Amino acid sequence: MISWFESSLGYDWAFFLATIIDILVIALPLMLAVAMIIYADRKIWAAMALRRGPNVVGPFGLLQSFADGLKVFLQETIVPAAANRTLFLLAPIITFTVALIVWAVVPFGVGVVLADINVGLLYVLAASSLGVYGIILSGWASNSKYPFYSALRAAAQMVSYEVAIGFILISVVLWTGSFNLSAIVMAQKSHVWFVNGYILNPLMFPMAVMFFISSLAETQRAPFDLTEAESELVAGYQTEYSSMSFALFWLGEYANVLLMCALNATLFWGGWLPPVDWAPLYYVPGIIWLFAKILFFFFLFSWVKATVPRYRYDQLMRLGWKVFLPVSLFWVFLVSGYLMLTRVGVGS
Amino acid sequence: MIQALAFYLFAFVVVLSGALTIASRNPVHSVMWLILAFFNAAGLMILVGAEFIAMLLVIVYVGAVAVLFLFVVMMLDIDFTELRAGVARYFGIGLALAVALAAEVMIAIGAWSTGPIQLARRAAPIDDTVPNIQAIGNLLYTRYLFVFEGAGLVLLVAMIGAIVLTHRQRGGVKAQNISRQNARRPQDATRNTSPVVGQGVEL
């Protein structure tokens, strides 16, 4: 697309325009996906509780999310009198933006990625560590007790699990030898036998499981949703929010969940590669495999939400610091030891 | 063109948010301006091609250090008028410190730019083909290995020191014993009885 624009503009502006169009091509379908995934979440959750879920708006209730969105859009935005107005309104925007910007480095196919940068994984870490600001700020700016407690919980939780996630990512990077997400996907091609992804690798599979659990904690989904534990904190950091500022939290949360599903798929389950390395399967576009994997992980997320009871806060902290951190640290040691043993002097 | 625009944007915002960090009345706003400054500094580093350092800056400073800052600042109950009162008294000292710092930075840059490292680098420019994660790794784990390990040791000592200083044993706390909780089975905790009417259950 850059070359197409370049015919009429200079390279700089062609690049600029093409990038903006690419961003829209990713962001707009993502918004639609978020709306549909909220519907899917409610349906799956309802099915597991033997209920019917949303079934009134549109065929099978498919338009439920859009109706909710419209309703929220027409509501009045209430800013509490004692709130810090600027930060109060800034917080949901931060949450939402951070959930979107990470998609820039997620590869959807061979070379189909907005920013194919060689620090892709670090960019993911950097952006996901920003997510906590939206929550802390909303808690503080609301000037209210429940949101503040929730913000403190969220900050402690996200910082704790980021440490474990960091070590898990290091073992992926060790195996791949690159921070680039496209390279990480390609390194998983027919990794063990002819299966794409790290599923059959006994050293990486435990890391995949730990990454999945950490991503539940990182997105504050059940069983780690202590930040919005309704029995203790009303709605947590969202308590004082209404209308679009609330909707942005809502969208950001689900965009984050989708992102974590995409990262699970990309880092451990072969990303846009088909499940097995068999030539006819490559005729299906990579983006469809990626979507299938994202949906699979999203189903797991909903399944966990519907069936697992909420953790106590001390259990949450114990799992993060006393179980995941030592185990992942040991695993980095194990993986690097194995790689030293088998590929000394190979590659760079 | 876009690079120049981006540079001026980032540079302007760094300076502005740096100034506002000092000037803003609310400490939480100060921390927010500081975070904005970190961000734009990371943007500047990307512009000069040091993407690894830029990402580390965001991960370490914005993602961890500033979160803890914000934590502490949010918990403080600060009387702003009291905080302002000392400004005139400490102005002289602050100014002297600022001048000394600026002079030191200038001397250091002056010495560096005429020193052997910089002169040698002008003769042999940076290799663009090696990603800078690899370039840093190559230097850090060969030439500067001992310094690097030494820095690691210093950090370890600091970490242990912080734990030793803040750790205290409190008596009379009902701590959770997770292994005992996990080892608890239904048959130990519950029992089925069929009490006769009027008799109740013997505990």
Side-chain angles (χ1 to χ4, degrees), chain A residues 12 84 118 133 155 179 312, chain B residues 1 29 51 62 66 71 133 181:
Chain A
D12 278 3
N84 188 317
N118 58 12
Y133 281 106
F179 277 100
R312 222 168 44 211
Chain B
M1 169 69 180
H29 290 183
E51 70 269 7
V62 180
F71 234 72
I133 301 175
Q181 288 173 358

Side-chain angles (χ1 to χ4, degrees), chain A residues 21-31 33 99-116 180-183 185-186 255 258-259 261-263 265-266 270-274 282 284-295:
Chain A
I21 290 172
D22 285 349
I23 289 171
L24 290 179
V25 165
I26 294 175
L28 295 180
L30 183 67
M31 291 291 77
L100 286 186
I101 57 172
V102 187
W103 285 92
V105 292
V106 175
F108 294 100
V110 193
V112 188
V113 50
L114 177 61
D116 199 15
N180 185 317
L181 283 169
S182 302
V185 171
M186 284 319 286
L258 275 184
L259 175 75
C261 296
L263 284 181
T266 307
W272 42 266
L273 295 168
Y282 284 94
V284 180
I287 196 163
I288 289 181
W289 289 119
L290 183 66
F291 276 180
K293 285 170 186 174
I294 290 176
L295 289 179

Side-chain angles (χ1 to χ4, degrees), chain A residues 85-103:
Chain A
R85 201 183 163 83
T86 326
L87 291 182
F88 184 81
L89 294 176
L90 192 66
I93 298 174
I94 291 177
T95 307
F96 183 67
T97 315
V98 165
L100 286 186
I101 57 172
V102 187
W103 285 92

Side-chain angles (χ1 to χ4, degrees), chain B residues 4-36:
Chain B
L5 274 181
F7 170 77
Y8 284 114
L9 179 73
F10 288 144
F12 175 70
V13 178
V14 167
V15 174
L16 184 75
S17 53
L20 283 171
T21 307
I22 308 168
S24 61
R25 287 173 172 276
N26 191 328
V28 173
H29 290 183
S30 275
V31 177
M32 294 314 291
W33 287 118
L34 185 65
I35 291 164
L36 193 63

Side-chain angles (χ1 to χ4, degrees), chain B residues 94-126:
Chain B
L95 198 69
L97 276 178
V99 169
L101 206 64
E104 277 176 4
V105 169
M106 280 175 198
I107 291 168
I109 290 177
W112 174 72
S113 59
T114 52
I117 302 174
Q118 180 65 4
L119 290 180
R121 220 192 61 185
R122 272 183 206 150
I126 303 165

